[in-house]
Amino acid sequence: MSDEQIRLGELRDEIDSLDQQIMDLISARARCAQEVAHVKMAANPGEDVFFYRPEREAQVLRRIKEANPGPLADEEMARLFREIMSACLALEQPMRIAFLGPAGTFTQAAALKHFGHSVISVPMPAIDAVFREVESGAAQYGVVPVENSTEGMINHTLDMFISSPLKICGEVQLRIHHHLMRSPESGDQPLSRIYSHQQSFAQCRQWLDAHQYGVERVTVSSNAEAARRAASEPGTAAIAGDMAAELYGLEIMAGKIEDRPDNTTRFLIVGRESVGPSGQDKTSILVSMRNRPGALYQLLEPFHRSGISLTRIETRPSPSGTWAYVFYIDFEGHMDDTNISKLLEDLEEDAVELKRLGSYPAGVL
């Protein structure tokens, strides 16, 4: 036996030993998580107990990234622990997560990135259906898109917050990669048609003009629907993501065809419970101001005076005559922080109405 074979054998024995240790430690962590659940249920008999704590999980994932010794990247290590926590939580109560469907969309990918793969992901046909599913208690949380770095805000999501009692419990950002895909049974048959969602066509316009000019582009309700059609129609292709390709058994003809390599979509996690401080938080509010000169200045001046950083401000049409202007605002900090609490009090003095949408951990993954 050569020195190389001897050394490889030693390394494989060491890996086997480490695997056993990792398995033993994961099992010990799972038992500890079960005990936490039992303590919570004993302390709140007969009540609905929320085992998932967004602020606690954000703190754990941040600590993992900070303490990671390598050689795995911080993000990769955090994703591994995200799945461990997801599996441990599911021992007591697998969560139902509603998302904007159908299966295979980027919204489902965002849900699994945030909650891990041990949840039950439930596709819904529209954004308002996601809200209703969570409001009714049929799902613990919902995931909806709110902003794309290329196409801007998703107004339907913002409008839902005007009437919905749900709170924002978290956020997740997903790098969007579009691929041109077709059925492997199509062979080298020329393309006659490409299916995709209208936003995906917009985000890939330059590439399509350069490489598939003249091929008919057909807009459908989602990229997953585009993949479904391409799987059953010879001579067609779809623009969609990795999940859709895997779900419908398509082969990727050209990968990452988006015009901007930094194309990113931000998703919000909506739920029924408020979230405690995690140490690195955001707050979202809706504010209506009277239609008069200086209204916008009155709205923004308290943020400047308090030294609070805004991360997003959007204006939406009033749903009634009561609100002349409706501003959606994201800013850094948690409602329980003293300076944020004082800011909200100052805003309420001048606003027609102020709605607290929620404070939540800033995205970790």
Side-chain angles (χ1 to χ4, degrees):
M1 184 178 294
S2 67
D3 291 343
E4 178 187 1
Q5 290 174 321
I6 293 173
R7 182 55 181 152
L8 286 175
E10 292 172 347
L11 289 172
R12 286 164 182 158
D13 288 342
E14 184 176 358
I15 287 174
D16 290 343
S17 175
L18 289 170
D19 286 345
Q20 184 62 51
Q21 294 176 53
I22 291 171
M23 187 163 53
D24 291 342
L25 288 171
I26 291 176
S27 297
R29 192 193 192 285
R31 288 190 291 270
C32 188
Q34 285 181 312
E35 185 61 25
V36 168
H38 296 158
V39 169
K40 286 184 176 182
M41 289 188 292
N44 301 276
E47 298 181 15
D48 290 334
V49 179
F50 285 82
F51 301 110
Y52 175 68
R53 292 282 302 279
E55 70 275 25
R56 166 64 178 162
E57 297 211 349
Q59 290 168 345
V60 171
L61 292 175
R62 290 188 196 122
R63 187 176 71 247
I64 294 300
K65 293 175 71 174
E66 292 170 359
N68 177 35
L72 290 178
D74 294 347
E75 291 284 332
E76 192 64 34
M77 184 65 75
R79 279 195 289 269
L80 290 173
F81 272 82
R82 165 71 276 169
E83 293 299 334
I84 291 173
M85 289 190 287
S86 178
C88 291
L89 186 64
L91 286 173
E92 288 301 322
Q93 184 187 37
M95 290 193 297
R96 288 176 58 87
I97 309 299
F99 68 92
L100 177 61
T105 60
F106 288 114
T107 310
Q108 184 180 24
L112 297 179
K113 179 181 180 181
H114 186 83
F115 290 101
H117 286 69
S118 295
V119 298
I120 302 170
S121 54
V122 184
M124 305 303 296
I127 288 174
D128 56 334
V130 175
F131 276 76
R132 286 195 300 270
E133 192 79 354
V134 181
E135 289 171 8
S136 69
Q140 280 86 4
Y141 294 94
V143 181
V144 290
V146 69
E147 177 184 4
N148 179 264
S149 60
T150 301
E151 298 299 305
M153 300 299 290
I154 288 83
N155 292 329
H156 191 183
T157 296
L158 297 185
D159 292 342
M160 286 302 303
F161 286 115
I162 294 176
S163 58
S164 174
L166 295 184
K167 304 178 185 301
I168 302 175
C169 302
E171 66 172 3
V172 57
Q173 294 189 17
L174 188 70
R175 185 63 62 84
I176 303 299
H177 293 304
H178 294 300
H179 311 308
L180 184 69
M181 57 190 68
R182 69 190 302 177
S183 170
E185 299 176 359
S186 297
D188 296 329
Q189 182 178 353
L191 292 182
S192 61
R193 188 178 303 115
I194 298 175
Y195 293 111
S196 195
H197 188 273
Q198 60 181 1
Q199 284 197 349
S200 299
F201 278 134
Q203 293 166 18
C204 303
R205 183 180 297 112
Q206 294 177 22
W207 188 94
L208 289 170
D209 289 345
H211 297 88
Q212 296 294 336
Y213 185 80
V215 178
E216 183 184 9
R217 303 173 193 180
V218 179
T219 300
V220 293
S221 59
S222 71
N223 288 346
E225 171 62 15
R228 186 192 68 79
R229 293 194 183 193
S232 60
E233 297 181 22
T236 67
I239 297 175
D242 292 310
M243 284 192 68
E246 181 178 352
L247 181 63
Y248 293 101
L250 301 178
E251 64 178 9
I252 294 176
M253 301 173 59
K256 299 181 179 179
I257 65 172
E258 61 275 3
D259 298 329
R260 290 182 54 178
D262 60 346
N263 185 20
T264 301
T265 295
R266 177 175 173 239
F267 300 83
L268 295 179
I269 315 301
V270 295
R272 299 186 300 278
E273 297 294 315
S274 298
V275 179
S278 73
Q280 297 179 34
D281 301 291
K282 287 183 178 180
T283 294
S284 297
I285 59 175
L286 279 177
V287 186
S288 63
M289 302 295 289
R290 293 178 178 85
N291 186 5
R292 63 187 184 189
L296 183 59
Y297 173 81
Q298 281 187 308
L299 174 62
L300 298 181
E301 193 277 332
F303 289 94
H304 174 72
R305 180 171 12 104
S306 303
I308 296 171
S309 177
L310 275 69
T311 58
R312 168 64 65 179
I313 180 168
E314 290 288 330
T315 306
R316 295 298 302 139
S318 171
S320 67
T322 304
W323 290 12
Y325 295 101
V326 182
F327 296 95
Y328 171 90
I329 304 175
D330 292 336
F331 54 92
E332 295 178 355
H334 193 282
M335 291 182 195
D336 290 350
D337 299 341
T338 302
N339 62 331
I340 301 298
S341 178
K342 177 64 168 59
L343 167 74
L344 296 178
E345 291 177 2
D346 291 343
L347 290 177
E348 283 182 318
E349 292 182 2
D350 293 319
V352 174
E353 186 172 347
L354 184 148
K355 185 175 183 180
R356 294 166 169 82
L357 301 182
S359 293
Y360 48 93
V364 180
L365 290 176

